[in-house]
Amino acid sequence: MSLSDPGLTLAPRPHAPPEFDAGFRGQLHQLFRWRRDVRHFRPDPVSHEQFHALLDVANLAPSVGLSQPWRFVTVEDEGRREAIRTNFQHANACALASQGKRAGLYARLKLEGLREAPCQFALFSLPDPEQGHGLGRQTMPETLAYSAVMAVYSVWLAARAEGLGLGWVSILEPEAVAGILDIPREWKFLGYFCLGYPRSEAETPELESEGWEHRREADICLIRR
Ligand SMILES: Cc1cc2nc3c(=O)[nH]c(=O)nc-3n(C[C@H](O)[C@H](O)[C@H](O)COP(=O)(O)O)c2cc1C
């Protein structure tokens, strides 16, 4: 009897769990430190294979009830991209008008890479997916959106590890975006994303180097009871 004999069934070979050593942990920490929200892109394309590899990573993210409620909608059509840019300009003008004494600084910020980014997608979460059978979200339906955000953060880190940059654009009107992309109105819009090779790398968030805000230490977010 040989190994290729169909009568011979082999027990599946168990996968040994990986051992993450100190070198890996150091690299992982660097990945967290050097992930940036990117708004300046080089024109180099992102291949379908690269994008699909990132979606494979998204599917490893945790999700409520294992529902995988995220839907990534790629936007390739130039007319739709133009409509997204127009909606951004409108939403950003409204945001600027509400800024008061910070308006001058706000007006100088670049808050999207919609014209340059070679790859663009919107992220939605489903309102009531069959997958997962409702587990975990009866009292907190918003866990579906949380799950999708976990997925895109996984994409964000994986992209950075590949030398790619991701930028989140939330200065958009969800209703308008659903219309532009012809998406069911009940899907929840979570953000529009620009993906591509960054023009530069930085350890400091752009909003910090532009003087808008700075990152604070861990103890500001810790409340003891
Ligand atoms: C939910 C969410 C929405 C965001 N929306 C925008 C946006 O519309 N425009 C923008 O320039 N950055 C946006 N950002 C990026 C943040 O400004 C950025 O994460 C923050 O300044 C810290 O910088 P870093 O991501 O490079 O560490 C968003 C980030 C998140 C998590």
Side-chain angles (χ1 to χ4, degrees):
M1 191 178 270
S2 80
L3 281 180
S4 56
D5 188 325
L8 182 69
T9 52
L10 292 175
R13 210 161 130 238
H15 286 285
E19 282 181 31
F20 300 117
D21 60 15
F24 173 80
R25 284 191 290 280
Q27 288 276 83
L28 182 61
H29 192 69
Q30 291 288 74
L31 178 60
F32 291 135
R33 290 187 72 89
W34 284 85
R35 178 212 52 79
R36 284 284 68 78
D37 187 87
V38 174
R39 297 122 184 158
H40 311 264
F41 295 93
R42 304 201 319 249
D44 314 50
V46 177
S47 70
H48 284 290
E49 290 72 25
Q50 283 174 298
F51 185 64
H52 279 267
L54 294 176
L55 293 185
D56 287 342
V57 172
N59 280 331
L60 297 175
S63 60
V64 65
L66 193 46
S67 57
Q68 295 178 279
W70 42 79
R71 291 296 178 270
F72 290 81
V73 178
T74 56
V75 184
E76 292 165 12
D77 178 74
E78 187 43 43
R80 293 189 206 264
R81 286 188 177 193
E82 177 64 34
I84 292 287
R85 287 196 291 270
T86 302
N87 187 253
F88 170 84
Q89 281 157 8
H90 167 70
N92 202 36
C94 296
L96 173 62
S98 68
Q99 281 300 323
K101 62 180 177 7
R102 305 202 98 209
L105 179 51
Y106 185 91
R108 286 195 291 279
L109 299 172
K110 177 164 163 49
L111 297 172
E112 42 71 41
L114 295 170
R115 208 165 280 284
E116 312 94 305
C119 178
Q120 303 187 14
F121 62 88
L123 175 64
F124 294 83
S125 61
L126 299 178
D128 187 20
E130 177 63 32
Q131 187 178 336
H133 310 285
L135 186 149
R137 62 179 164 90
Q138 298 307 310
T139 55
M140 293 181 64
E142 63 273 27
T143 49
L144 291 165
Y146 299 165
S147 303
V149 171
M150 305 290 290
V152 83
Y153 185 55
S154 306
V155 167
W156 210 337
L157 291 170
R160 178 63 188 83
E162 297 287 339
L164 289 163
L166 189 73
W168 190 322
V169 186
S170 56
I171 307 167
L172 291 165
E173 295 169 315
E175 282 276 313
V177 173
I180 292 165
L181 303 183
D182 202 11
I183 295 300
R185 297 290 156 150
E186 58 281 11
W187 290 18
K188 186 172 179 57
F189 174 62
L190 299 171
Y192 190 91
F193 295 85
C194 295
L195 179 70
Y197 289 94
R199 285 211 170 267
S200 60
E201 303 286 1
E203 201 180 355
T204 306
E206 194 169 316
L207 289 191
E208 186 160 344
S209 39
E210 294 293 330
W212 180 262
E213 188 51 278
H214 64 277
R215 205 183 279 296
R216 294 177 171 82
E217 299 302 319
D219 43 331
I220 65 137
C221 55
L222 177 65
I223 298 167
R224 294 182 198 277
R225 288 282 184 269

